[in-house]
Amino acid sequence: MEVINIKGTEDTPNVILDKENGKFEISGRSLPEDVNMFFEPIMDWIDEYSEDPLDKTVFDFKLEYFNTASSKVILDILLKFEEIVEDGKEVIVKWHYHEDEEDMLEAGEEYADIVEIPFEYIVLED
Amino acid sequence: MNELKEKKGHSFLDFAYQMYKSMKTNEINLVYEGEVTQEITKTFTSLTERSLAKTEESNMVQRKVFHVMVECLQNISKHADSLEGEEEKRGIVMVSHGKESYNIITGNVIKNEKIPTLKESLEKVNSLDKENLSALYKKQMREGRISEKGGAGLGLIDIAKKTGSKLDYQFKALNNDVSFFILTSTVKRK
């Protein structure tokens, strides 16, 4: 499968989707003006991936900031991975946050409430 | 003619000085009136981010101020209406701080016909506590869709949830068709 490797900007995140190396990661900031346009290729990639996913997918979210429109798209991404879980494959979300940013931890907990995917919370050090 | 020009020049200097003084007394960090675009949003938020980084303010408070600014500015660039003869989405933005809190004040023109719906959303958000705001946020994320304008209908809920303060708002009628909507969001310093 094709690898997605998007470099982040001041209002869009870094995105790595690499099935071969088992690397799935979104990091940085997400506050684009048009979330649909930015995330469309990512959604398409995940749709294709879910047709033949790995037995175990570990998805790292290392976001330092996202706006509300992005929060909706992140849920849509997670819902796609939930379907993979429903199909009997393993998916783990690793939700990274800085210790003093409770809001980011809370955001992860809210997603974990909605989707049936196990979440691990990891404190970012730097 | 020259005299008039001079007089005008003086009154402008007076105005600039008065404004400077009033900004100092009211501890206003940023004032802007004009077009609000994604570029403007990025510029102001990063400006505020950088100036906050120089202060002793906790990361948490800095992040909340940044967050509220992004949501307020993107609300304007997505939803603001215009006065007759104007094309672009315009608004005012003000950031001030006092001993207790940061205030992020934004204002924009809104069509009178949209006021009841907006007011209803604002009142709804203001009636909820943290837990219920979180429940509403999750519900709206699940059931909502990204609109053509790129909004998710989550901005106001999120501001209230993150700041833990009620949304303070006013509508000032400009004429029969439009009003000026002012929203004040408060981030408490801890």
Side-chain angles (χ1 to χ4, degrees):
Chain A
M1 240 187 119
E2 164 209 9
V3 173
I4 288 194
N5 191 343
I6 303 170
K7 269 261 159 270
T9 66
E10 55 181 339
D11 62 354
T12 54
N14 298 289
V15 183
I16 300 169
L17 297 170
D18 182 346
K19 184 181 172 186
E20 204 173 318
N21 292 303
K23 198 161 168 57
F24 307 83
E25 185 177 301
I26 295 188
S27 60
R29 306 179 156 203
S30 182
L31 55 138
E33 190 170 30
D34 189 339
V35 282
N36 283 337
M37 197 166 77
F38 178 80
F39 282 98
E40 201 186 337
I42 293 157
M43 293 301 192
D44 290 345
W45 191 95
I46 298 169
D47 281 337
E48 198 190 322
Y49 175 75
S50 51
E51 284 168 22
D52 181 25
L54 298 173
D55 288 336
K56 182 176 178 178
T57 310
V58 179
F59 203 130
D60 286 288
F61 285 85
K62 293 184 182 170
L63 288 160
E64 61 175 274
Y65 176 81
F66 55 87
N67 68 351
T68 54
S70 301
S71 76
K72 162 72 184 156
V73 182
I74 293 167
L75 176 64
D76 292 342
I77 291 175
L78 291 169
L79 288 170
K80 285 184 191 295
F81 280 95
E82 187 182 53
E83 284 175 30
I84 297 177
V85 174
E86 283 163 6
D87 289 341
K89 299 283 165 70
E90 194 182 352
V91 178
I92 293 172
V93 168
K94 290 193 173 170
W95 189 267
H96 303 254
Y97 68 102
H98 285 106
E99 194 164 18
D100 56 355
E101 284 170 10
E102 286 163 38
D103 288 341
M104 192 50 83
L105 172 62
E106 234 169 69
E109 290 170 342
E110 283 181 345
Y111 287 122
D113 276 351
I114 302 176
V115 295
E116 297 289 327
I117 302 175
F119 271 56
E120 286 176 13
Y121 301 98
I122 297 159
V123 175
L124 280 169
E125 311 276 349
D126 69 18
Chain B
M1 191 67 194
N2 270 345
E3 212 173 290
L4 189 68
K5 217 178 185 176
E6 212 164 84
K7 213 170 166 191
K8 261 191 181 162
H10 271 300
S11 68
F12 181 74
L13 287 180
D14 271 347
F15 171 72
Y17 181 58
Q18 288 306 332
M19 182 153 163
Y20 168 77
K21 280 207 297 193
S22 129
M23 281 180 71
K24 282 283 172 206
T25 358
N26 294 302
E27 300 195 69
I28 292 169
N29 310 71
L30 172 80
V31 186
Y32 173 79
E33 191 282 330
E35 193 179 1
V36 178
T37 60
Q38 177 73 359
E39 284 311 308
I40 294 286
T41 302
K42 279 195 284 186
T43 308
F44 285 162
T45 46
S46 69
L47 205 71
T48 308
E49 192 179 29
R50 263 180 281 149
S51 76
L52 280 173
K54 288 182 205 148
T55 66
E56 302 278 285
E57 219 59 71
S58 73
N59 281 342
M60 185 84 173
V61 169
Q62 293 187 28
R63 194 60 81 193
K64 283 180 197 286
V65 172
F66 179 84
H67 198 100
V68 170
M69 278 187 80
V70 171
E71 293 302 325
C72 288
L73 288 164
Q74 290 190 328
N75 271 345
I76 296 178
S77 68
K78 289 190 171 97
H79 302 295
D81 291 308
S82 310
L83 289 170
E84 219 175 312
E86 287 176 356
E87 284 286 313
E88 72 254 310
K89 309 275 188 197
R90 296 177 74 88
I92 60 158
V93 185
M94 241 164 72
V95 180
S96 70
H97 74 276
K99 266 208 180 80
E100 306 286 322
S101 62
Y102 281 86
N103 288 310
I104 298 100
I105 302 160
T106 52
N108 60 271
V109 172
I110 177 171
K111 283 194 179 127
N112 288 338
E113 66 202 45
K114 291 193 204 158
I115 295 177
T117 321
L118 176 55
K119 213 169 167 179
E120 203 183 304
S121 308
L122 289 157
E123 283 305 315
K124 165 104 189 169
V125 163
N126 278 346
S127 73
L128 300 175
D129 60 11
K130 192 176 190 293
E131 206 175 301
N132 284 305
L133 282 169
S134 169
L136 180 63
Y137 193 92
K138 285 187 274 191
K139 181 172 184 279
Q140 177 68 20
M141 254 201 307
R142 266 201 314 264
E143 295 169 9
R145 291 193 65 85
I146 302 283
S147 71
E148 244 168 68
K149 289 175 179 169
L154 292 165
L156 295 176
I157 309 172
D158 193 52
I159 294 170
K161 187 156 81 82
K162 293 245 162 67
T163 61
S165 309
K166 300 288 173 206
L167 304 170
D168 189 359
Y169 65 93
Q170 271 187 48
F171 294 97
K172 303 262 187 205
L174 294 172
N175 59 42
N176 285 337
D177 301 319
V178 291
S179 296
F180 198 67
F181 167 53
I182 303 164
L183 178 68
T184 307
S185 313
T186 306
V187 176
K188 292 189 197 83
R189 303 169 73 176
K190 268 184 271 174

